[in-house]
Amino acid sequence: MSTPSGAPGAAFRTPAPRVPEDIHRRRWAILGVLMFSLLIVVLDNSILNVAVKTIAAPAPTGLGATQSELEWAINSYTLVFAGLLFTSGLLGDRIGRKKVLLFGITVFGLGSALAALSGSPAELIGYRALMGFGAAFVMPATLAVLMNVFERDEQPKAIGIWAGSVGLGIAIGPITGGLLLEHFWWGSIFLVNVPVAVVALIAMVVLVPDSRDPAPGRVDPLGVVLSIVGLVLLIFGIIRGGELADFTDTTVLVSLLGGLAVLTAFVLHEKRSSHPAIDIAYFKKPAFAAAVAAIALVFFALMGVTFFSAFYLQSVRGYSALQSGLLILPLAAAQMVFAPRARLVVDRFGARAVCTVGMLLVAGGLAAFAFFDAATPVWVLCLVFFVQGTGMAHIMPPVTVAVMQALPREKAGSGSAINNTFRQVGGALGVAVLGSVLSATYRGGIEGHLDAVPAAARDAAGESIEATLAVAQKLGPAGRPLIGSAYDAFLDAMHVTALGSAAVALIGAVVVALFLPGRPPAGSRTGEAPGAGETSGTAEPAGAVSGS
């Protein structure tokens, strides 16, 4: 029986449950379905990372994709994903998160099947964009549903497990990709998503409840268009600058400046709009702004390193795709072990200290790549990956909790969209910027060693280590010296890029050290940041959560 509001001691009672009892009883099973749905989105990117070398190989082994085309195969997905997250979050809040989940997984599965049958890099880029379109309706909805089936005191634990599933995807993806590439053609890495999507659809129909905002705002189509156009222009300019090794080229400058101008217009529009895709007022809260900045910075640093580490492990070290995937297991294992328990460390030391140390661990792991060479012991690689995973496991759950608990429960779709947008934009920019640094530095290092290459092929040979090695192989014995030069030039480029990544992670450490909340006051609820109390003292309106 509930205690009347006027009864003595009522103010100290635990708040009445806001989740219907039938949904509360099956909350952990629902979380399992959400993790499975999230898995296919994470799985796809981690599989692709070990397949970039194969896709770069000439037909029939691969598609003969250039480094720029490989970057776009990654960025077409993340850009469409990030650009549509605002809209998908708002639609989930408006029409129901279960509905957008089902739609997103269906589109993702269709895009995966088409990507597997791509006949050219251009087709692969296009179908990857379609997969990104579907994924945009999956990831934010999983987190939004989570926030609506768990009570506030259990949300940090659930978010930690949700974040740990990312580690599971990181582990399964490269190993699955390696096994598939050893026995099947490269398209199998996308085709494997189809049965996973089918199983996720069935489980979702049976178990996951629908939820929505009883008073949703209108969709902001102009804001969505401005964000997509601005991001595409900006990242195209960065990638093009890396291709040309010249960021003063007219096409590069026009793209970069145009992208910045459109994104500025986007921010101004959002501030003035009565129904913005993203409420700029959220960013006036230091903890909220620091949390999303930390998400963007850590993925900026890590995605760029993930991109070049595939070439380091396979092109320089000579590991197969499967062996490369197995080497990333320590990173994934650390996330799976520590992410669900991060809340316990935050309760003891506070989000500020935990996230700062996590960022420093990530920065240290990234900086270690600056000392790797062609003979670095395998155990050192595994240790560095484990350190990176440990750092990530103590960053993502606390900052995700900070973002999601700063907003009302009924706005969970919008909060999840913000969280995932900064994650994906940070990752896309990391691949673009750090990939461009890698490409430009490599080109500068290899150009002086291309004298033996026919003049007509020199430009292409200097674009990436894979291109150089392909030309060296065609030259036969005369190309052997070029192989050693390619390894040296790539390692130098990797060292420069790794230090740049570490610097970005250090900036993230400074941001969270200055602006995230410290240790919560004694007696505060688990996972609740100081000052981040419930946004509303009333229970959710009836009908906000439905059973199916």
Side-chain angles (χ1 to χ4, degrees), residues 243 443 447 450 453-464:
E243 284 181 319
R443 183 185 291 273
E447 279 181 345
L450 298 177
V453 178
R458 286 178 188 171
D459 187 62
E463 184 176 283
S464 68

Side-chain angles (χ1 to χ4, degrees), residues 286-287 289-291 293-294 297 349-360 395 399 505-519:
L297 289 169
F349 299 105
R352 178 189 302 155
V354 172
C355 290
T356 300
V357 172
M359 279 287 192
L360 291 175
I395 296 169
V399 296
L506 286 175
I507 293 172
V510 173
V511 169
V512 297
L514 291 177
F515 299 109
L516 276 188
R519 184 177 179 179

Side-chain angles (χ1 to χ4, degrees), residues 470-494:
V471 170
Q473 187 175 10
K474 291 178 182 178
L475 292 175
R480 288 175 185 169
L482 187 57
I483 295 176
S485 299
Y487 289 163
D488 291 340
F490 179 83
L491 288 172
D492 288 342
M494 184 182 78

Side-chain angles (χ1 to χ4, degrees), residues 160-161 163-175 325-342 382-394:
I161 296 172
S165 68
V166 174
L168 181 63
I170 293 173
I172 294 176
I175 296 171
L326 290 171
L327 283 172
I328 299 178
L329 267 178
L331 185 147
Q335 289 199 58
M336 287 188 290
V337 170
F338 293 119
R341 297 169 174 80
C382 292
L383 178 61
V384 168
F385 282 130
F386 185 81
V387 169
Q388 289 181 331
T390 302
M392 284 288 294
H394 290 89

Side-chain angles (χ1 to χ4, degrees), residues 162-318:
W162 178 88
S165 68
V166 174
L168 181 63
I170 293 173
I172 294 176
I175 296 171
T176 304
L179 288 170
L180 290 171
L181 290 172
E182 286 197 354
H183 296 91
F184 305 100
W185 96 114
W186 66 265
S188 62
I189 66 169
F190 297 112
L191 201 60
V192 73
N193 292 333
V194 177
V196 178
V198 171
V199 173
L201 281 171
I202 295 172
M204 197 170 298
V205 169
V206 174
L207 285 172
V208 175
D210 204 358
S211 61
R212 62 185 183 275
D213 182 355
R218 289 186 291 158
V219 176
D220 179 22
L222 178 58
V224 171
V225 171
L226 288 174
S227 66
I228 294 174
V229 172
L231 288 169
V232 169
L233 284 174
L234 181 64
I235 295 185
F236 174 79
I238 293 169
I239 294 175
R240 185 62 176 162
E243 284 181 319
L244 301 175
D246 180 12
F247 283 85
T248 63
D249 181 82
T250 303
T251 58
V252 175
L253 288 175
V254 168
S255 297
L256 290 174
L257 296 176
L260 291 173
V262 174
L263 290 175
T264 300
F266 167 72
V267 172
L268 294 175
H269 167 72
E270 296 303 289
K271 292 177 70 174
R272 297 173 181 174
S273 175
S274 60
H275 52 282
I278 177 173
D279 190 346
I280 304 299
Y282 294 149
F283 293 90
K284 294 180 179 179
K285 301 178 180 179
F288 181 90
V292 294
I295 292 169
L297 289 169
V298 74
F299 274 89
F300 180 101
L302 279 175
M303 285 300 291
V305 170
T306 302
F307 182 75
F308 73 63
S309 65
F311 288 100
Y312 168 68
L313 293 173
Q314 296 181 48
S315 298
V316 177
R317 300 300 298 263

Side-chain angles (χ1 to χ4, degrees), residues 2 13 19 33 94 100 130 186 221 234 321 351 357 368 378 382 431 441 444 465 517 520 523:
S2 62
R13 299 287 185 180
V19 178
V33 176
R94 172 183 287 273
V100 299
L130 180 62
W186 66 265
L234 181 64
V357 172
V378 171
C382 292
V431 171
T441 309
I465 186 173

